[in-house]
Amino acid sequence: MLKKIAMLLVVVMLMTGVMAGCGENEQPAATNDEQETPDQTAEKQESEPPQLDFGGRTIRYSAWWDLTPQPGSSAGADRQIARRTELEKKYNCKVEYVNIPWDQYLQKFITAAMAGDSIGELVTLDSRWFYPTAVTNGYLYDLNEFADKGIFDFTEEKWNKDTLKWANFDGKLYGYNIGKTYPRELLFWNKTLFEREGLPNLYDLFFNYQWTWDKMLEIAKKATKDTDGDGKIDQWGLSGIDLGFGFVFSNNAESVDVTDPYHPKFALNSPNALEGLQAWQDFTQKHKVVELNPEGAAWDYPRQSFSDGNVAMLYTQWYMVDDIKKNMKDEYGVVLFPMGPKADEYVSRSVNNVNTIPSTVKNADQVAIFENEMTEPYPDEAPDEWKDYYIERLYDEQSVQVIEMLIDKGLSKTEWFFSFDDVVQLSYTFMSEIQNGSKTPQVAISEIAQQAQTLMDNALKKKPEELIKTDETAQ
């Protein structure tokens, strides 16, 4: 403050000297009433910070789908367009939306980073690319840097609290999301079939914390039957995509432990995980209540069979809801996977997308300032407006309450298994052996545990160019 006042006094003195040396024809000096004192000028400058000018730069939002908001498509899109236009004018910049195909995305991201460039200033990453690739190779800004500068305030309600947890590695925050957590893996149940068969209402069990593996098995046994008398089962109790992992996560276990992000641990050999895999095998082989994909069937056959009314309960990704509603005549609801004996809370296994700022972005403070204002809550947005998306896709209020409970309690748990593609390739064999009963989970996992750990260790040692080749092979 004193330094500013001193500088202003120097300026005033210089200006006074210049004016005193001018000719008699000069205009008379302003009166004291019209002049600001140095203190007033300094205070005015502090209360009114100079407007930032980004010099006409382009701020690119990158994803593997088109992020461009379409006018008139929704109230949210119109709000976003208005906000973007306002900020483009305010900061003298331009927004561009970059759509890169999924099978080229990681390759372009790494190639750009290696060249000191980026595919965008604000880049969406799948969690499988986010960790370990982007995190351990130093491709991302630690967002705490912007918080330390007062640009981001992660105590604000707008930031997704789940993401602030799972995108934090070793005290550094590499990614963020705005708003409510998007649900991933859920259990759809055919309400029409349940009513027809006289089965319990799953909402009653779920909200009273009586929804367990044992209760699911009891219901699945009653639902599994031959309905036309031809000697073949044509109505099943349960089906699912990645059903085995559902049992693992619901028993207070996980596939990969990333507590130490630079030394991840293969975790399917833990007692809780093995108990979950054994339950999955028992449901399938011992109790025979799980419909398996017929030979040559599409990977999403379980979704098709559920939509056709042939399955009582389906474990799958939420994003399939639009196809289910479009093709299914029966009414359905959603709950979370039931709790195993080692769990005291429900959980939803989740593979997430995350927003990031690449470490190669120039003048990243400008990008952070823009994004912070771009993501501020809209004053005309109702607190419960987010529910409209789910209400359109579900048949009852209880299903929406399940989603709300998942969000409010933070029941999503990130799955890092798919971040290690070599282990994923290995899993096609050992998970199949467990499902078809040719090996017990204990034997199948013990045979590959060391190999899986070695593959994970090697994944963190790979050079960026090797990661590109790995991605191409996987695609």
Side-chain angles (χ1 to χ4, degrees), residues 270-291:
S270 72
N272 288 8
L274 289 171
E275 185 176 25
L277 293 173
Q278 185 61 62
W280 173 45
Q281 187 179 75
D282 289 345
F283 268 65
T284 306
Q285 296 298 327
K286 181 180 178 180
H287 303 295
K288 300 187 183 303
V289 296
V290 178
E291 182 183 28

Side-chain angles (χ1 to χ4, degrees), residues 1-12 32 35-48:
M1 182 71 172
L2 292 172
K3 190 177 292 185
K4 289 182 179 179
I5 293 173
M7 287 297 294
L8 285 166
L9 285 170
V10 171
V11 172
V12 170
N32 290 335
Q35 292 179 328
E36 290 183 336
T37 67
D39 282 343
Q40 290 173 328
T41 304
E43 289 175 4
K44 182 176 181 181
Q45 287 180 340
E46 285 194 347
S47 63
E48 299 178 7

Side-chain angles (χ1 to χ4, degrees), residues 408-426:
D408 291 345
K409 285 196 165 189
L411 301 181
S412 290
K413 186 174 183 179
T414 301
E415 169 67 282
W416 297 112
F417 188 76
F418 298 107
S419 296
F420 302 91
D421 186 66
D422 290 338
V423 184
V424 172
Q425 300 302 317
L426 185 65

Side-chain angles (χ1 to χ4, degrees), residues 50 97 105 124 267 278 298 303 377 397 401:
Y97 301 100
Y105 202 87
T124 301
Q278 185 61 62
R303 190 265 307 164
E397 182 181 349
Q401 290 172 353

